[in-house]
């Protein structure tokens, strides 16, 4: 199996390798079976790795750990109690300074909700989401223009070197996580204003264009991410100006330069899906120039909805929303 | 389970129900485990239902049926021998006139290839593909324009009443299956000319825009379909003219009228994914007006690549191309 895998890996196109990189957990870790479902109020909302489980074992009054799953103590009733009990554990762990992800504490809460109806169960600091493999939702904006001689051109941003995650890396034009209390379009509008000074009539041109889903893993944790995607055609004379100190610089690149940037180690891996999806929708990456086109499209839309479906079935391609 | 299912079903939006309808096999039949993998040259290329298996049992020299799978006799060497042996069986079955799908014999061959490298294994008549659950590839073109007062408008075609499949139903502007010997863009160009007289400079405006994958089942058989999607912005004064007798009529509809048509029984179920994907990419269906937006996007891209992966794993969300 290992050899077959290496043989295939060598024959993948560079773009396919990138799509497999941002799905490294979907393609391997998920099937190793060493992570346990994380259950809250009877719903699987996440997956927990052994390195995190080790710490949770010390809080048996909060986390019930069995051979098959980790459950938030079902005696906790309601959003507030769950949120506060989990926050206490996270604060205790944060003080010990042993968990890499918690070093990036954000003071910005993300919501944990039931898989299908999105009933809110609790909230936790954004930095802790990846420890529990909670599904993460964000918004990304592709800022682009069609240049008379260079064709499709795309604005990219370089993240500030002071950011908690992926400092200094190249990223999409504008993006942000969906924090508690904010809507999807609302987040796109807020981030476009803060990150790139897109305001007024220009922001009305945001076009919702789908979403991408992938399942990445890093040293910090698990990232089952869904990004809601917006396209924004910008005037030739527009130059983005950062307003919140989170951006180092902006650069306008041709589509080909964008691909080279995305393939380089200077690009934030988890932003590559949004860029690839955009270049596919605009026809720049197409069945005539990419041999694994449909494999890449599949890897931009992995069935996250179906993966968190314990206890109904094992991690199969169930996808029927029975979760 | 049944009750939970009905409760959820009632709360789905109409568009979600449609996305579940064209994925009826993905969402239920696939998990019932009554279909057996169809193996050719060591690769799973399809799934076979019990009603088809019943007929294949009579040709033990061609199909080796075990408790776990159906295998094309591995003694057959090469494309030609496999093609001819299968064709003999299909002709015999066709004469008996008992299999619904074969009544629509096409005299147009589709290719059966290995899941990842697309190495050609054999070809068989298009009408028989669904009996073996072979992956089916097609091309669809969204013909549209932005009307000054009505906004986004889309040309739909009504299929000829003499067509073998879905006669008289409403369908995308232009579409066609990928037959042996034709490329993807080539098929789009050919079908656009034949079905709608799109030729000359106009056809150069075809923009490849991604692909949709879904897994439908009907009385005729199993349809694990992938459609390569092209968008074509048409001039206001363009009126499509059919050139091959396969189209009853064309009609220009607003986006809202298109949705109503797609939801009606007059629409070809397996063409709805292309239309929904288009309306999502154009922002007409968006996270603000569709509560199950990301569930629908997921159902437009089910992981067909990962389903046919016998014998490495059971039907899990493997997707790593080891097939």
């Amino acid at each position: 199996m290992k050899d077959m895998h290496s043989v295939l890996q060598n024959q993948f196109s560079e773009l396919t390798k990138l799509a497999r990189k941002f799905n490294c957990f979907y393609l391997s870790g998920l099937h190793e079976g060493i992570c346990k479902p994380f259950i809250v109020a009877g719903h699987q909302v996440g997956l927990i790795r052994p390195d995190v489980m080790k710490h949770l074992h010390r809080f048996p009054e909060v986390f019930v750990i069995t051979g098959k799953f980790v459950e938030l103590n079902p005696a906790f009733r309601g959003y507030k109690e769950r949120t506060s009990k989990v926050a206490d554990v996270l604060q205790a762990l944060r003080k010990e300074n042993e968990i890499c992800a918690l070093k990036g504490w954000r003071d910005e809460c993300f919501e944990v909700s039931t898989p299908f109806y999105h009933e809110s169960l609790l909230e936790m600091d954004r930095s802790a989401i990846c420890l529990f493999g909670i599904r993460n939702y964000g918004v990304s904006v592709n800022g682009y223009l069609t240049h008379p001689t260079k064709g499709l051109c795309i604005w990219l941003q370089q993240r500030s070197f002071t950011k908690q995650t992926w400092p200094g890396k190249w990223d999409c034009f504008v993006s942000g996580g969906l924090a508690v209390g904010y809507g999807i379009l609302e987040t796109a509008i807020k981030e476009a204003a803060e990150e790139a000074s897109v305001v007024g009539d220009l922001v009305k041109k945001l076009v919702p264009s789908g979403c991408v889903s992938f399942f990445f893993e890093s040293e910090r944790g698990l990232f089952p991410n869904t990004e809601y995607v917006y396209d924004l055609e910008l005037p030739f004379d527009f130059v983005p100006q950062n307003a919140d100190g989170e951006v180092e610089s902006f650069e306008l690149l041709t589509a080909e330069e964008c691909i080279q940037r995305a393939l380089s180690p200077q690009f934030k891996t988890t932003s590559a899906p949004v860029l690839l999806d955009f270049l596919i929708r605009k026809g720049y990456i197409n069945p005539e120039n990419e041999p694994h086109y449909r494999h890449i499209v599949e890897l931009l839309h992995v069935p996250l909805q179906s993966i968190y479906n314990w206890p109904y079935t094992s991690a199969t391609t169930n996808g029927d929303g029975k979760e």
Side-chain angles (χ1 to χ4, degrees), chain A:
Chain A
M1 286 294 280
K2 192 71 187 171
D3 283 345
M4 184 61 179
H5 186 72
S6 325
V7 169
L8 281 168
Q9 189 67 27
N10 288 336
Q11 306 209 12
F12 284 129
S13 67
E14 292 303 309
L15 292 178
T16 312
K17 286 180 193 167
L18 179 58
R20 296 172 65 85
K21 186 174 162 195
F22 56 67
N23 274 303
C24 55
F25 188 73
Y26 176 67
L27 294 174
S28 87
L30 178 60
H31 308 284
E32 288 166 11
I34 58 168
C35 297
K36 291 184 182 176
F38 177 44
I39 313 294
V40 177
H43 300 274
Q44 183 184 355
V45 298
L47 270 177
I48 300 183
R49 294 200 305 205
D51 60 327
V52 175
M53 219 115 61
K54 182 179 75 182
H55 295 285
L56 302 185
H57 267 293
R58 294 157 40 213
F59 305 92
E61 70 287 3
V62 180
F63 296 101
V64 181
I65 305 185
T66 75
K68 294 201 165 167
F69 57 83
V70 179
E71 186 173 20
L72 185 65
N73 190 336
F76 303 154
R77 296 287 164 199
Y79 193 90
K80 279 194 177 170
E81 188 178 6
R82 292 188 200 109
T83 298
S84 127
K85 296 290 185 181
V86 170
D88 290 348
V89 170
L90 293 176
Q91 288 294 0
L93 290 171
R94 191 183 164 202
K95 275 187 194 143
E96 296 169 6
N97 211 24
E98 274 189 25
I99 299 181
C100 166
L102 296 180
K103 292 179 189 167
W105 193 267
R106 298 285 193 100
D107 282 324
E108 179 187 357
C109 275
F110 269 33
E111 200 168 74
V112 181
S113 54
T114 58
F116 205 77
Y117 287 122
H118 321 312
E119 184 202 335
S120 300
L121 298 172
L122 74 155
E123 60 185 61
M124 61 170 81
D125 192 78
R126 187 170 172 181
S127 63
I129 291 285
C130 64
L131 298 178
F132 297 90
I134 307 285
R135 282 188 70 174
N136 182 44
Y137 301 97
V139 166
S140 291
V141 180
N142 296 298
Y144 73 101
L145 51 86
T146 306
H147 189 277
T149 56
K150 294 179 182 174
L152 180 64
C153 289
I154 300 154
W155 281 101
L156 294 184
Q157 72 156 263
Q158 184 180 23
R159 298 163 67 85
S160 159
F161 286 95
T162 62
K163 281 210 120 178
Q164 301 277 16
T165 57
W166 308 91
K169 297 287 184 188
W170 285 89
D171 199 344
C172 296
F173 175 55
V174 159
S175 55
L178 266 186
V180 170
Y182 290 89
I184 298 169
L185 177 59
E186 186 183 13
T187 300
I189 292 169
K190 181 172 84 72
E191 296 290 343
E194 291 175 3
E195 292 194 349
S197 303
V198 170
V199 291
D201 283 344
L202 198 48
V203 81
K204 292 179 191 155
K205 292 175 65 187
L206 280 170
V207 178
S209 307
C211 53
V212 292
S213 293
F214 54 97
F215 205 152
F216 178 69
E217 176 177 22
S218 76
E219 187 196 42
R220 281 197 295 130
L222 301 176
F223 301 84
N225 283 16
T226 295
E227 288 287 319
Y228 293 93
V229 173
Y230 291 78
D231 289 352
L232 180 63
E233 186 165 10
L234 293 164
F236 285 9
D237 58 358
F238 175 82
V239 177
Q241 303 282 340
N242 179 245
D244 65 1
E246 297 201 358
V247 178
E248 182 66 25
S249 65
F250 285 100
E251 189 178 344
L252 184 65
L253 285 83
T254 64
E256 182 52 36
E257 288 165 343
C258 259
I259 287 180
Q260 293 313 319
R261 190 68 54 91
L263 290 171
S264 81
Q266 277 69 53
F267 202 82
K268 178 175 176 264
T269 307
T270 53
S271 291
V274 172
L275 189 57
L276 294 192
D277 172 68
F278 179 74
L279 293 169
I280 285 170
R281 287 187 291 104
K282 291 292 174 186
Y284 194 83
I285 299 170
N286 59 58
E288 312 298 312
N289 66 17
E290 173 47 57
H292 297 111
Y293 185 73
R294 61 174 194 253
H295 186 51
I296 294 175
V297 173
E298 183 173 317
L299 290 175
L300 296 175
H301 304 278
V302 309
L304 295 180
Q305 198 94 51
S306 326
I307 291 172
Y308 287 0
N309 59 4
W310 189 93
Y312 297 111
T313 60
S314 58
T316 65
T317 52
N318 187 298
D320 63 355
K322 284 206 226 65
E323 306 97 320

